[in-house]
Amino acid sequence: MNILHTSDWHIGKRLMDAERLPEQIAALDEIAEICEAENVDVVLVAGDVFDTYLPSAEAEEAFFRAVKKIAGGKRAVVVIAGNHDDAVRLAASAPIAREEGIYLFGNKPTVFPAGGDLPVRVAVSGENYLVLENRAGEKVYINALAYPNEARLREEKTDEDFGAKTARWIEKGNEGYDGTMPYILLSHLFVAGGLTSEGERNIDLGGARAVPVSRLPQYGYIALGHLHKRQRIGNRIAYSGSILQYSFDESDTEKSVILLKTELTDISAVKEIPLVSGKKLVRLQACGVEDAIRLISGYQDCFVELTLHLTAPLTAAETTALRAANRGLVSLIPRVDSYISEEVAVRSNMTAEELFREYYTLQFGGEAPDDLTTAFLSLLLEEA
């Protein structure tokens, strides 16, 4: 059985004021083409389908069009909610979507009817797990854990650490697994040791939401979303990464999907297939306006972040000339050699946690308590 792992579509996400929906649609069309070329049976979408809880009508239309095209009447598509998704809203159309072979999981316990005549059908289903079977009789067990936290799962906060809670939530989705078929945990988590991007807030909440590898199943394949840089943690745990470059520190990161292959009870990653749709993000530096104009003129089909070193502030005419030289210039960072500009530059690179701790120290003359910092970061995450 061939399985495709993708995540973090963030449909509707913009870059500064730049619209990126056409690029997102192109990338999703590319995924549909890859599924055809690789004879994929099952597609796993590991959360953050949308960029906001209330996506635009255009973003929702793009999503439903994409998953229907990816399913194509030939394969199953399993989608879980991420922290950017409204889990209830995403799963609301599950009864209709399943008729197309599309299985949507929010945080409410979900059981899908077994049987049917789809090429890849539900053989068995329980609360938040599926056994999918193709016409060759090949099966795969999928434990589908949408982005978990106490509020979404309607639990009270206790002294139990988040890693232990996550292990308990995962175990609930393992209730139908007997070890006789390939196993996949599909989830949206921050695993300790993962590498974040600038576009992601402190998603581990200062370490409070980081899940140790030891708390994850020690078997099968763990298909994750949440981190935008594709990466592996060991041999069995993988983030497929976002479908487009969404922050400038990803400018040297190739985007891709992961092709998996099952054989008897085993499952392995066969290859990473590059995604070539979408504009590249580039970070540039220049000294002086004339040099900057020459430099950015060579990157017309990219989004550009330009750090411009100056001896005097930019004039309005110079700013207009720079914007005219490349319409993809979305971030202009003038650096005038002075103490003030250096101070701004330093703070612009600080994380939310670092800014909060510095603010607390300035206001109260001491270090911010860890529990207060975690509470502040938790509020940020809920707003993400």
Side-chain angles (χ1 to χ4, degrees), residues 10-157:
H10 285 276
I11 301 173
K13 186 175 181 66
R14 302 170 69 91
L15 183 65
M16 312 300 184
D17 291 327
E19 174 64 70
R20 305 201 72 185
L21 186 60
E23 297 173 79
Q24 291 153 357
I25 291 172
L28 296 174
D29 284 344
E30 190 179 351
I31 290 173
E33 292 167 4
I34 290 170
C35 289
E36 289 291 324
E38 299 290 344
N39 296 314
V40 169
D41 297 287
V42 178
V43 178
L44 308 173
V45 185
D48 280 356
V49 170
F50 298 108
D51 192 52
T52 65
Y53 266 42
L54 294 172
S56 67
E58 292 81 6
E60 289 194 304
E61 180 183 358
F63 166 65
F64 287 113
R65 172 187 170 276
V67 290
K68 183 175 181 179
K69 184 174 182 179
I70 289 169
K74 300 178 181 179
R75 58 190 63 87
V77 181
V78 183
V79 183
I80 62 170
N83 62 300
H84 281 253
D85 300 312
D86 181 336
V88 175
R89 185 186 184 101
L90 180 67
S93 58
I96 298 173
R98 73 183 185 220
E99 297 177 6
E100 299 286 340
I102 301 162
Y103 304 97
L104 306 175
F105 286 91
N107 295 107
K108 182 180 178 181
T110 303
V111 180
F112 289 98
D117 58 358
L118 292 169
V120 180
R121 68 182 186 91
V122 177
V124 180
S125 179
E127 287 191 7
N128 294 342
Y129 72 82
L130 292 171
V131 175
L132 295 176
E133 180 180 18
N134 64 14
R135 286 183 172 158
E138 298 165 322
K139 296 180 180 179
V140 62
Y141 186 100
I142 301 172
N143 180 343
L145 178 64
Y147 174 73
N149 63 21
E150 296 87 351
R152 289 191 176 207
L153 296 174
R154 300 185 182 279
E155 290 190 7
E156 296 292 330
K157 290 192 176 182

Side-chain angles (χ1 to χ4, degrees), residues 357-372:
R357 289 185 181 277
E358 181 182 281
Y359 172 79
Y360 187 94
T361 299
L362 289 172
Q363 290 294 314
F364 303 106
E367 292 188 4
D370 289 342
D371 58 348
L372 182 62

Side-chain angles (χ1 to χ4, degrees), residues 110-304:
T110 303
V111 180
F112 289 98
D117 58 358
L118 292 169
V120 180
R121 68 182 186 91
V122 177
V124 180
S125 179
E127 287 191 7
N128 294 342
Y129 72 82
L130 292 171
V131 175
L132 295 176
E133 180 180 18
N134 64 14
R135 286 183 172 158
E138 298 165 322
K139 296 180 180 179
V140 62
Y141 186 100
I142 301 172
N143 180 343
L145 178 64
Y147 174 73
N149 63 21
E150 296 87 351
R152 289 191 176 207
L153 296 174
R154 300 185 182 279
E155 290 190 7
E156 296 292 330
K157 290 192 176 182
T158 65
D159 291 337
E160 184 183 22
D161 69 70
F162 187 73
K165 289 178 181 179
T166 302
R168 174 164 53 80
W169 294 328
I170 291 171
E171 194 55 36
K172 179 67 177 176
N174 285 342
E175 289 182 350
Y177 184 61
D178 60 7
T180 63
M181 66 189 77
Y183 171 92
I184 294 174
L185 169 63
L186 174 64
S187 195
H188 195 85
L189 299 168
F190 179 79
V191 175
L195 301 175
T196 62
S197 300
E198 290 176 0
E200 301 155 337
R201 288 178 173 171
N202 284 32
I203 57 178
D204 67 335
L205 301 184
R209 296 289 181 182
V211 179
V213 172
S214 61
R215 294 292 192 178
L216 301 176
Q218 302 302 302
Y219 49 86
Y221 178 86
I222 299 173
L224 297 178
H226 210 8
L227 303 184
H228 291 184
K229 293 182 179 180
R230 72 177 187 190
Q231 56 197 283
R232 295 180 182 274
I233 301 175
N235 295 323
R236 300 177 301 101
I237 304 170
Y239 289 93
S240 60
S242 57
I243 58 172
L244 297 178
Q245 294 176 346
Y246 283 128
S247 62
F248 282 99
D249 68 327
E250 298 176 54
S251 60
D252 59 350
T253 302
E254 187 178 65
K255 296 302 175 181
S256 62
V257 294
I258 302 174
L259 183 67
L260 311 172
K261 180 80 173 180
T262 66
E263 186 173 354
L264 300 177
T265 61
D266 295 329
I267 186 165
S268 58
V270 176
K271 60 181 175 179
E272 293 173 341
I273 303 175
L275 296 174
V276 298
S277 298
K279 294 184 178 182
K280 300 299 181 184
L281 274 58
V282 294
R283 265 186 165 153
L284 303 174
Q285 295 197 43
C287 294
V289 174
E290 290 185 4
D291 285 343
I293 290 174
R294 282 194 294 269
L295 179 61
I296 66 177
S297 295
Y299 294 89
Q300 292 297 332
D301 198 34
C302 302
F303 287 118
V304 177

